[in-house]
Amino acid sequence: MGYLKTAILMAAMTALFMGIGYLLGGAGGAVIALFVAAAMNVVTWWNSDKLVLRMHGAEPVTRGDPMGLHAMTAELARNAGLPEPKLYLIDTPQPNAFATGRNPANAAVAVTTGLLRDLTREELAGVIAHELAHIRNHDTAIMTVTATFAGAISMLANFALFFGGSRERMGLIGTLALMFLAPFAATIVQMAISRTREYAADKAGAEICGNPLWLAAALEKIAVGAARIDNHAAERNPATAHLFIINPLHAHKHDNLFATHPATQNRIAALRAMARQDRPAPAAQPVRRGVPSTRRRSGPWG
């Protein structure tokens, strides 16, 4: 289903680019836009994950890292029945994380320095398990492609407004249409991304790490941190906000436009209810290696 949504999104973006090309350059502009859109589809499918990681200045975490991030992720990936994804670190004090990649064999998980600072190892395991659930559910293809396309629409709007065709061709209607492209990009994100995927990833992530309360506690901390600490890269690229486990936007009022996450308190309540049921899923094997006692509260590396 994720791949079908991705194909539909690519077709819709191609049609949109052709329409804008016609608006700016007539029939010739539409043909040029078709070739541009086709090239963009290819680049987006094969490189959207790299583009998103570059937007956020993510740096790879090498295997055998002193933080033990690879060891923890490898065990969680085995629990999830997945190959170990590539790991990246984003240098920002806001605690957050996201997964990206067109399929499980070409996936990556990125965590922020703020996440490593603020969370215990159990909570960190819950977050990584959540991201692995997105990868296993094939959410990352549509999530990542949507982010790059929506960002391209926003940039196209700015380009067209400042460097577009003649006023005679564009006219008032064309100019107004271009002014609304950025909000339209947000609408594309909201239509392509279902909020139910977060609940599904929360549930599967709790099963992968073996304890719903680890993820519930992590969400609570991340929500507090995301609300008070700016994520400058995310604010510059608001179309990527839906990738994160918690909406990273608040500084520039993008959060209403690009709101694709369900209420955090509802997610936490669902996880706590899952824990109360006390019915471990078949795949739920608690992460033993690299995760100390839940009594530890001084952060994962302290």
Side-chain angles (χ1 to χ4, degrees), residues 97-259:
F98 66 80
T100 183
R102 63 184 182 274
N103 55 40
N106 297 275
V109 173
V111 299
T112 68
T113 53
L115 191 80
L116 302 185
R117 179 199 64 215
D118 293 350
L119 268 58
T120 68
R121 291 189 73 88
E122 298 91 343
E123 293 161 354
L124 180 61
V127 170
I128 293 176
H130 170 97
E131 300 306 336
L132 290 173
H134 277 309
I135 294 170
R136 191 174 69 181
N137 294 344
H138 296 273
D139 294 334
T140 52
I142 182 65
M143 290 164 65
T144 308
V145 169
T146 299
T148 52
F149 269 129
I153 294 172
S154 297
M155 287 189 293
L156 184 63
N158 293 330
F159 178 84
L161 282 172
F162 289 101
F163 304 104
S166 67
R167 292 181 181 274
E168 290 78 11
R169 180 177 288 116
M170 291 179 67
L172 178 61
I173 294 178
T175 302
L176 290 175
L178 293 172
M179 289 175 62
F180 283 101
L181 275 177
F184 178 72
T187 303
I188 287 291
V189 173
Q190 291 173 335
M191 291 175 63
I193 304 299
S194 169
R195 294 188 181 199
T196 59
R197 69 182 171 79
E198 289 299 337
Y199 287 113
D202 286 344
K203 181 177 184 296
E207 293 169 353
I208 290 168
C209 74
N211 192 329
L213 295 180
W214 291 358
L215 180 55
L219 290 176
E220 199 163 24
K221 286 185 179 179
I222 296 170
V224 171
R228 64 180 180 83
I229 302 172
D230 293 348
N231 185 328
H232 298 294
E235 298 289 352
R236 289 193 300 269
N237 302 282
T240 65
H242 64 280
L243 294 172
F244 288 83
I245 189 169
I246 294 288
N247 188 351
L249 307 177
H250 68 88
H252 301 304
K253 308 303 181 184
H254 293 301
D255 50 337
N256 290 331
L257 276 177
F258 290 90

Side-chain angles (χ1 to χ4, degrees), residues 4 15 33-34 42 49 58 61 83 96 122 124 167 204 225 242 283 293 297:
L4 177 61
L34 174 61
V42 172
D49 55 339
V61 179
N96 229 316
E122 298 91 343
L124 180 61
R167 292 181 181 274
H242 64 280
S293 165
R297 289 292 180 266

Side-chain angles (χ1 to χ4, degrees), residues 80-102:
L82 291 170
E84 183 183 352
K86 297 177 182 176
L87 288 174
Y88 288 83
L89 187 63
I90 301 172
D91 187 14
T92 177
Q94 184 189 88
N96 229 316
F98 66 80
T100 183
R102 63 184 182 274

